[in-house]
Amino acid sequence: MSNYVSNHRFSKSNKSFVNQLSTVAIPNNVQEALADPRWKAAMNEEMKSLQKNETWELVECPLGKKPVWCRWIYTMKYKVEGSIERFKSRLVAKGYTQTYGIDYTERFAPVAKINTVRVLLSLAANLDWPLQQFDVKNVFLHGELFEEIYMDLPPGCMVSEKQCQKVCKLKKSLYGLKQSSRAWFGRFTKSMRAFGYRQSNSYYTLFLKKQHGKIMTLIVYVDDMVVIGNDPEERKTLQNYLSREFEMKDLGPLKYFLGIEVS
């Protein structure tokens, strides 16, 4: 890159970022990834997450069933100053090989509307309510599938000779599947209702709980959640409950959500 672009005007972080781009290559295929210990370790980490989540089981492919294809996606996560934070590998299903009416029906899930978010931010500002943000790791892997879906073995997956001809019968949703977002939102809604929260009839991504004259609200946009209310004990209880249900990250006080910066 330095042969074509002068970087003398770049900031220190930009120079670091450009240097990383010049020295580390994204693998074009599984063979290249397995040849690099860093990408291989990232693939192993992803496989461990899938196995821990019991995403599939190996079975013989039933007659008349066509397995969905899959592939590996490789990306690099960067720190603010431009250095590499980690190598990331993700196994994704090739959703375009799914058949409508057989492998999936409903696809889309509701997401938070910007007007709803603005109303909640206005309430927090006027009533001095704290804003807490949470994130779910590997969010689509938590979705429960109701369709019978089979998938080819992941490329590079090491299995015994007897299992080479088997396929993966998916028990949980996977990135790339047509119904992944809907399966995740269905699972999340089920968990919130079980914990005593009421889902708004007008805005399906908004959940509310009133008790002892206090109120807690949660709004979700795919894997990002914002909790607003005047019941700190309930907020902590909710956080502990969600952490048991899913693999959560506490992002602390809300700073950035759907293009809105909060200070």
Side-chain angles (χ1 to χ4, degrees):
M1 187 177 290
S2 59
N3 293 333
Y4 303 96
V5 180
S6 173
N7 65 3
H8 72 280
R9 294 180 182 273
F10 286 1
S11 66
K12 185 178 179 180
S13 61
N14 285 337
K15 286 182 180 180
S16 176
F17 179 71
V18 170
N19 289 335
Q20 297 292 351
L21 288 178
S22 303
T23 56
V24 181
I26 302 290
N28 293 314
N29 51 55
V30 175
Q31 289 71 30
E32 288 185 12
L34 292 175
D36 189 322
R38 297 169 297 184
W39 290 113
K40 186 177 180 180
M43 291 173 67
N44 289 335
E45 183 181 350
E46 174 75 355
M47 288 298 293
K48 286 179 181 177
S49 295
L50 294 170
Q51 291 168 358
K52 180 183 177 181
N53 198 47
E54 298 181 350
T55 307
W56 63 65
E57 59 179 342
L58 295 181
V59 298
E60 299 288 344
C61 187
L63 290 175
K65 281 290 184 179
K66 182 181 177 182
V68 176
W69 301 347
C70 62
R71 62 171 296 195
W72 287 98
I73 299 291
Y74 304 100
T75 56
M76 286 183 288
K77 297 292 184 180
Y78 295 93
K79 297 179 181 178
V80 176
E81 76 277 5
S83 62
I84 295 177
E85 180 179 358
R86 64 189 177 101
F87 292 78
K88 187 174 182 179
S89 298
R90 173 154 282 164
L91 182 70
V92 300
K94 295 184 178 182
Y96 61 84
T97 62
Q98 290 182 264
T99 304
Y100 177 76
I102 298 176
D103 297 320
Y104 71 98
T105 50
E106 295 290 339
R107 292 178 53 185
F108 301 105
V111 291
K113 293 183 178 181
I114 193 66
N115 288 342
T116 313
V117 175
R118 285 174 174 159
V119 168
L120 291 175
L121 292 178
S122 177
L123 284 172
N126 284 282
L127 300 174
D128 197 24
W129 286 356
L131 296 153
Q132 196 80 7
Q133 188 172 19
F134 302 106
D135 178 76
V136 184
K137 293 181 64 177
N138 296 323
V139 59
F140 285 168
L141 302 186
H142 295 288
E144 297 173 342
L145 290 177
F146 300 99
E147 302 87 355
E148 191 175 337
I149 301 178
Y150 298 88
M151 185 183 75
D152 286 333
L153 288 172
C157 178
M158 303 298 292
V159 294
S160 64
E161 189 174 344
K162 292 181 179 179
Q163 295 179 320
C164 284
Q165 303 303 318
K166 292 187 175 183
V167 295
C168 303
K169 182 180 180 181
L170 296 181
K171 299 160 65 178
K172 303 284 182 67
S173 63
L174 200 66
Y175 282 86
L177 289 179
K178 296 282 189 181
Q179 66 269 54
S180 287
S181 60
R182 193 171 190 88
W184 149 248
F185 187 75
R187 167 76 192 284
F188 180 74
T189 300
K190 180 181 175 182
S191 297
M192 290 297 291
R193 286 176 172 173
F195 198 58
Y197 277 73
R198 181 176 61 84
Q199 186 178 19
S200 170
N201 293 326
S202 303
Y203 304 101
Y204 297 134
T205 60
L206 181 65
F207 298 85
L208 307 99
K209 188 175 186 179
K210 298 178 182 178
Q211 58 181 5
H212 313 305
K214 296 183 177 180
I215 185 171
M216 286 300 299
T217 65
L218 180 147
I219 193 164
V220 59
Y221 189 96
V222 189
D223 60 343
D224 281 326
M225 304 173 193
V226 177
V227 177
I228 306 170
N230 58 351
D231 192 343
E233 292 184 5
E234 172 61 24
R235 183 173 67 249
K236 190 64 178 178
T237 304
L238 175 62
Q239 180 181 352
N240 293 335
Y241 170 73
L242 292 175
S243 297
R244 293 194 300 270
E245 289 286 303
F246 315 105
E247 197 170 352
M248 304 284 294
K249 287 190 293 185
D250 184 359
L251 301 180
L254 180 64
K255 295 179 181 177
Y256 196 82
F257 188 66
L258 300 186
I260 300 175
E261 186 176 354
V262 179
S263 67

